[in-house]
Amino acid sequence: MSAPAPTEPASTTTAPPPSARRRRPVRDALLHTLYGRIGLVLLGLLLIVSVLGPLLEPHGTNNAVGDPFEAPSTSFPLGLDDGGVDMLSQLIAGARVSLIVGLTAAAVAVLIGGAVGMISGYVGGRTEGILMRITDYFLTLPDVPLMIVAAALFGRNLTNVVIIIAAIYWTSTARMVRAEVKSLRERPHIQRVRSLGASHGRILRHHILPGIAPLLAANVVLMISTAIFAESYVSFLGLGDPNAITWGGLIEAASTSSAVLRGAWWAIIPPGLCITLAVVACSMVGQTIEDALNPRLGAGHLSVRTFGVLPLSRFKEKR
């Protein structure tokens, strides 16, 4: 009697979880497209300068080290401001404050918008109508006049600036999350879980929230650029914290001290370039994540990606 043929061992490989499948296209888009790489490099430099700021400041920001509006030199690569303080040191200090304000305001705005969007999209009905009417009301409010009034009423400090920015810019997140949640709640696996008796809280925590987490992550990065820009023009209008060094505050101080009339370009152009690079870096990373999670964003001929200055598809690399 012949021995039975040996059977092949069953495969032990398992399919990656959905969260891993969602992370993979994001990672590939950030690392294998020129658009994503440029954004990551710029954002990484901003983070490094912000974290290591006190170690990188060559002359400090508290004491005058030369004459007012002294031109750039080997000792002061970016010159001095109207008080004789090193501009390079102030730019490094401003990076830290601007990034903290941007991150905090973006996190608060996405938290508020995400909560409103999840509740309105999942519950629906009258609750959805009330929350969306509130969202529409905030959308109609003009940004700059509201910031001016709020800063005049509540005072000029970084906490109030963060609250004002978050209170204005949470609406876009709310509408985006609401649309995604309304789509998720009708999918078969959510319907099966509901039919098995799962509570609404469990469905939201374990099924809806993981589904919108990548969208929230991309929205946080995009919101950082909006918050940094908003903080800059709030400070430029003289409504920022007078005790904090920010890029917008540096431009406002240079403007009030007649730096343009004196030809002191180094007091205005470098802070403006820093704001531009920070906004561009966050926008590039955020749009790359969005495109990786939802390729349909760039598919239509009327898509905003088609008319972008640097469309992602133009920089796709062959792999």
Side-chain angles (χ1 to χ4, degrees):
M1 182 175 180
S2 59
T7 58
E8 295 183 359
S11 176
T12 59
T13 59
T14 58
S19 59
R21 292 197 297 268
R22 285 192 296 265
R23 287 195 297 266
R24 195 170 298 145
V26 172
R27 180 192 60 195
D28 292 343
L30 290 173
L31 297 180
H32 299 289
T33 63
L34 185 59
Y35 198 71
R37 287 175 180 174
I38 293 175
L40 278 181
V41 170
L42 293 176
L43 193 57
L45 290 176
L46 177 61
L47 290 172
I48 292 173
V49 171
S50 301
V51 173
L52 302 179
L55 302 177
L56 300 176
E57 296 175 8
H59 299 287
T61 60
N62 297 322
N63 302 317
V65 293
D67 299 327
F69 288 130
E70 184 174 330
S73 62
T74 54
S75 300
F76 312 112
L78 293 180
L80 307 180
D81 66 357
D82 61 313
V85 182
D86 181 46
M87 280 297 302
L88 179 58
S89 300
Q90 293 188 83
L91 285 177
I92 295 173
R96 184 168 60 255
V97 176
S98 296
L99 188 62
I100 290 174
V101 172
L103 280 170
T104 308
V108 175
V110 171
L111 181 64
I112 297 173
V116 172
M118 281 185 64
I119 295 172
S120 61
Y122 184 79
V123 177
R126 187 173 180 180
T127 302
E128 179 184 11
I130 294 173
L131 291 177
M132 286 300 101
R133 295 299 75 74
I134 295 174
T135 303
D136 294 339
Y137 174 76
F138 274 89
L139 279 171
T140 60
L141 295 176
D143 299 353
V144 177
L146 183 59
M147 289 182 178
I148 294 174
V149 173
L153 290 176
F154 302 110
R156 298 166 54 190
N157 57 67
L158 291 180
T159 302
N160 290 341
V161 170
V162 168
I163 295 174
I164 293 169
I165 294 173
I168 293 175
Y169 293 110
W170 62 268
T171 52
S172 59
T173 302
R175 295 175 69 88
M176 207 179 313
V177 170
R178 166 183 166 267
E180 185 67 18
V181 171
K182 286 177 72 69
S183 172
L184 286 173
R185 74 178 185 181
E186 302 300 331
R187 295 186 180 179
H189 69 283
I190 301 294
Q191 298 292 337
R192 285 196 298 268
V193 171
R194 186 181 292 114
S195 66
L196 291 173
S199 63
H200 297 304
R202 181 177 180 83
I203 294 174
L204 286 172
R205 288 194 308 269
H206 297 283
H207 300 279
I208 299 296
L209 186 58
I212 65 172
L215 177 65
L216 293 177
N219 211 5
V220 166
V221 180
L222 288 171
M223 193 63 66
I224 291 174
S225 64
T226 303
I228 289 176
F229 186 72
E231 185 278 327
S232 299
Y233 66 69
V234 167
S235 298
F236 176 73
L237 293 174
L239 303 174
D241 191 342
N243 300 317
I245 299 175
T246 63
W247 291 331
L250 292 176
I251 298 176
E252 189 268 339
S255 300
T256 56
S257 58
S258 303
V260 176
L261 297 178
R262 300 187 185 187
W265 55 266
W266 54 88
I268 296 179
I269 293 180
L273 288 177
C274 290
I275 295 171
T276 302
L277 290 177
V279 171
V280 168
C282 294
S283 299
M284 288 175 118
V285 173
Q287 288 186 5
T288 301
I289 296 175
E290 275 192 339
D291 285 328
L293 296 173
N294 189 1
R296 291 177 297 175
L297 288 173
H301 69 283
L302 295 178
S303 171
V304 293
R305 302 295 193 267
T306 304
F307 297 99
V309 178
L310 295 173
L312 178 63
S313 58
R314 186 175 301 175
F315 296 109
K316 291 286 186 181
E317 294 183 357
K318 294 182 180 180
R319 298 181 58 190

